[in-house]
Amino acid sequence: DAGITQSPRYKITETGRQVTLMCHQTWSHSYMFWYRQDLGHGLRLIYYSAAADITDKGEVPDGYVVSRSKTENFPLTLESATRSQTSVYFCASSGAHDYGYTFGSGTRLTVV
Amino acid sequence: GESVGLHLPTLSVQEGDNSIINCAYSNSASDYFIWYKQESGKGPQFIIDIRSNMDKRQGQRVTVLLNKTVKHLSLQIAATQPGDSAVYFCAERYNFNKFYFGSGTKLNVKP
């Protein structure tokens, strides 16, 4: 399903570098989300957005920045990557308040 | 913070048997619940949902049961198939349109 795509699929970066993970959806969904998935922690919400130019923090926002200038894009930036940010990152979108999410395929990020 | 938990981290079943995956959720104010399936290397996929005003909901081969008294959610898979092997997550919603996920249960289906 190409409705929500994440890039890159895999990324290795060095500690202290800035890295941006991309998320693009073609459904014009209002809501978009970023989760990280770590063994033993399940999926934890980093940031979410209810519409273009509206974003808010989730459970684990520290060290991350998001923007949403267009409805279809929701990039996640790690301003200065740390090893603790090594994880699999999932973007998701939802068209309405009363429906579940559709997830992208994820980005596996390794910080060395 | 509050979290969604699972009773069994790994479940092994024989092909053709029924599977039951359990989940304890934490917030009595949660109004909407979803079960997701995640296969290796893929993002979570929606399986079935249930709202807090319901006790049971059935889909194709899957049934979700909600017991609000004890804050318990279960996913039943009938006639489990090898393709059902995956990690299953329950998620609850109690804050805006945000879902909170548990750590997952791995289902192994033995042929």
Side-chain angles (χ1 to χ4, degrees):
Chain A
D1 191 332
I4 182 165
T5 56
Q6 293 184 235
S7 60
R9 192 80 170 89
Y10 302 94
K11 176 73 176 178
I12 300 175
T13 192
E14 294 178 338
T15 301
R17 296 267 192 178
Q18 182 181 81
V19 60
T20 296
L21 310 183
M22 305 302 294
C23 180
H24 175 79
Q25 52 104 353
T26 59
W27 296 304
S28 298
H29 282 172
S30 297
Y31 300 96
M32 295 188 76
F33 308 84
W34 274 106
Y35 283 84
R36 60 177 290 174
Q37 185 173 35
D38 305 292
L39 193 63
H41 288 281
L43 290 146
R44 292 183 290 175
L45 181 64
I46 305 171
Y47 268 96
Y48 66 98
S49 170
D53 297 321
I54 300 175
T55 63
D56 206 347
K57 296 178 181 180
E59 302 169 82
V60 289
D62 293 343
Y64 303 96
V65 174
V66 294
S67 62
R68 188 133 181 244
S69 58
K70 294 183 178 181
T71 299
E72 60 267 30
N73 296 322
F74 191 39
L76 175 73
T77 298
L78 288 67
E79 295 184 296
S80 178
T82 65
R83 290 194 179 89
S84 65
Q85 292 177 309
T86 292
S87 186
V88 180
Y89 290 85
F90 286 101
C91 178
S93 70
S94 173
H97 180 66
D98 283 342
Y99 292 93
Y101 302 168
T102 300
F103 283 86
S105 297
T107 294
R108 182 175 293 275
L109 176 68
T110 302
V111 183
V112 298
Chain B
E2 294 175 298
S3 64
V4 175
L6 294 169
H7 296 312
L8 297 173
T10 305
L11 177 66
S12 293
V13 300
Q14 204 70 39
E15 181 179 357
D17 288 350
N18 296 334
S19 302
I20 299 176
I21 301 172
N22 295 303
C23 174
Y25 65 92
S26 61
N27 196 316
S28 57
S30 294
D31 66 343
Y32 184 36
F33 305 86
I34 298 179
W35 279 100
Y36 284 92
K37 172 186 180 182
Q38 186 177 26
E39 297 174 287
S40 181
K42 297 183 179 179
Q45 294 176 284
F46 175 97
I47 301 174
I48 191 167
D49 61 355
I50 188 168
R51 301 188 189 281
S52 59
N53 61 352
M54 303 170 68
D55 297 322
K56 180 180 179 179
R57 188 150 192 246
Q58 288 184 295
Q60 187 176 11
R61 282 202 307 119
V62 294
T63 300
V64 55
L65 299 177
L66 175 62
N67 185 330
K68 294 181 289 294
T69 303
V70 294
K71 291 187 290 185
H72 185 268
L73 197 66
S74 69
L75 175 70
Q76 300 177 359
I77 304 173
T80 312
Q81 303 169 358
D84 295 327
S85 293
V87 177
Y88 291 81
F89 295 93
C90 65
E92 63 177 315
R93 185 184 72 181
Y94 57 81
N95 187 348
F96 181 57
N97 192 26
K98 293 179 287 185
F99 283 88
Y100 298 86
F101 291 77
S103 56
T105 290
K106 184 175 183 179
L107 177 64
N108 291 322
V109 181
K110 296 177 286 186

